Every structure is written in structure tokens, then in C-alpha cells.
Amino acid sequence: MITDKGSIKTESVSVESALVVYRKKIKIIALIMLIVGSVGLAAYIALSTAFDEIKWLTALLVFAVPFTLGLIGTVTIARVHKREKLKPVTCRCEFFADCFFCKTKTATSQQETDTDKFAYADAVLKSENEKYGYIYVLSRGVFVPFGKEDLTDDELNAIRKNFRKPIRDGEESAKLENYREDGNELS
């Protein structure tokens, strides 16, 4: 929603649930690689045990690559999800014309909040789905999700425009103000 400061403020979202949606395709690919690799390696072991003199069976060892990559991907994603559940974090973004802010709050300490200021030149709008947008800040290696459910098309177009993403012809974008340190208190 557009604030009286001329910025767009998003709703507060759970970082864990937003990233679960983002990693869904990666998780499925890792599981498929793990299954294909497992079947291939099992076939190699079974066939090489039964037919010792066939030379081409060593070609089935190529299935070790998808098995290894699938195993690494599956274990890594499981560990990241487990770590995110131990320390739940919510995130709220505020977009100005020249920069944007990400305010994070840890669920264990409702009083403590961290507010980070980022320049649009240091960040990339990676992807969007129906509920979330995902920003990757290159200079800090931070992945920031933001909620899209309470934003209008004009507000989303303003955000996309600031990240140098194309907007459809004929569509309008909301007008944003530059950040001013004197009167802008982030809430």
C-alpha cells in the first residue's frame, strides 16, 4: 500500500514460508535426480553382479553423478528448512524511488528488529509468484522475500520499474518519492 511518505509498504511475511515456495522446484529436481541416480546405480550393481564379463556395464556408473547431486541438494534443502524453523523470521519491505528497506523481526524476540537499507543497483528482482516477490541483494548475498497480496497492479509495476524489469505497454505505475532522512521513520 502507498504510505503518506510516498513509499510502498508491503505486508509482513514469514521468510520460511516464502522460501519454501521458492525452493519447491529445486527440491523436486533434486528428488528426481536422487531417484534416477539410485535406480541407475542399483541396476549397475545388480547387472555387474549377475554378468561379470560384460564390459559396457561400467557405462551405468554415469548414474553416480545425478545420485550425488540429488543427494547433496536434498540434504542441503532439508538442513536449510530445519535451520529456518528454529529461528522464524518475518520480513516487511518498504520501497522508495531511490532505495528500499527490509525490516526483519525474529519471532523469539518481538522487540528486536533489524532494518537494512539497499540500493536498487545492488539488488535484482529474481522472480515473482502469486503471493511473493523475491529480491536478491548482490552486495550482501541476502535473499529478501516480500508479500504481494495487498499490492495493486500500479504498485507492483512501480516496484518492477525500480528494478529495471519491463512492464506491459499501457500499464500505469505508482509514483514514488525519494527517501528523506529527516521525516521518514520506518515502522
Side-chain angles (χ1 to χ4, degrees):
M1 85 178 119
I2 295 201
T3 64
D4 56 348
K5 299 179 279 185
S7 66
I8 297 173
K9 189 180 283 191
T10 65
E11 67 182 27
S12 185
V13 296
S14 167
V15 173
E16 179 209 354
S17 61
L19 292 180
V20 164
V21 173
Y22 183 78
R23 294 184 191 122
K24 190 174 186 177
K25 289 180 186 175
I26 298 169
K27 188 175 183 180
I28 290 170
I29 290 170
L31 283 172
I32 289 171
M33 290 176 72
L34 182 64
I35 291 167
V36 168
S38 298
V39 169
L41 287 177
Y44 167 73
I45 292 170
L47 291 174
S48 65
T49 304
F51 306 106
D52 193 28
E53 57 277 340
I54 299 177
K55 302 281 187 214
W56 61 268
L57 282 178
T58 56
L60 288 175
L61 281 177
V62 76
F63 285 101
V65 174
F67 174 77
T68 304
L69 293 176
L71 183 63
I72 290 170
T74 303
V75 169
T76 301
I77 290 172
R79 291 182 76 197
V80 168
H81 286 314
K82 184 177 179 182
R83 185 176 35 211
E84 288 171 349
K85 283 186 178 192
L86 290 176
K87 188 179 170 186
V89 176
T90 58
C91 180
R92 168 179 256 175
C93 292
E94 187 167 0
F95 298 95
F96 289 89
D98 56 346
C99 64
F100 68 98
F101 291 85
C102 175
K103 188 173 190 173
T104 57
K105 185 185 293 187
T106 307
T108 55
S109 59
Q110 291 295 328
Q111 304 286 336
E112 266 183 60
T113 58
D114 293 327
T115 303
D116 293 318
K117 179 180 177 182
F118 302 110
Y120 289 110
D122 292 340
V124 176
L125 182 61
K126 291 288 283 180
S127 68
E128 296 179 50
N129 58 34
E130 289 181 20
K131 281 182 83 170
Y132 306 108
Y134 301 96
I135 301 168
Y136 182 69
V137 181
L138 304 167
S139 61
R140 295 198 196 155
V142 178
F143 208 66
V144 179
F146 65 92
K148 290 177 35 177
E149 290 183 332
D150 64 340
L151 301 178
T152 65
D153 288 339
D154 291 351
E155 294 167 345
L156 285 171
N157 285 336
I159 293 170
R160 291 177 188 129
K161 191 175 175 183
N162 285 338
F163 283 106
R164 298 166 304 282
K165 293 285 185 179
I167 58 174
R168 293 185 204 140
D169 289 336
E171 287 194 10
E172 297 291 322
S173 65
K175 175 77 172 125
L176 298 177
E177 298 290 326
N178 285 337
Y179 175 70
R180 294 181 317 275
E181 301 237 1
D182 55 334
N184 287 331
E185 290 295 321
L186 298 176
S187 54

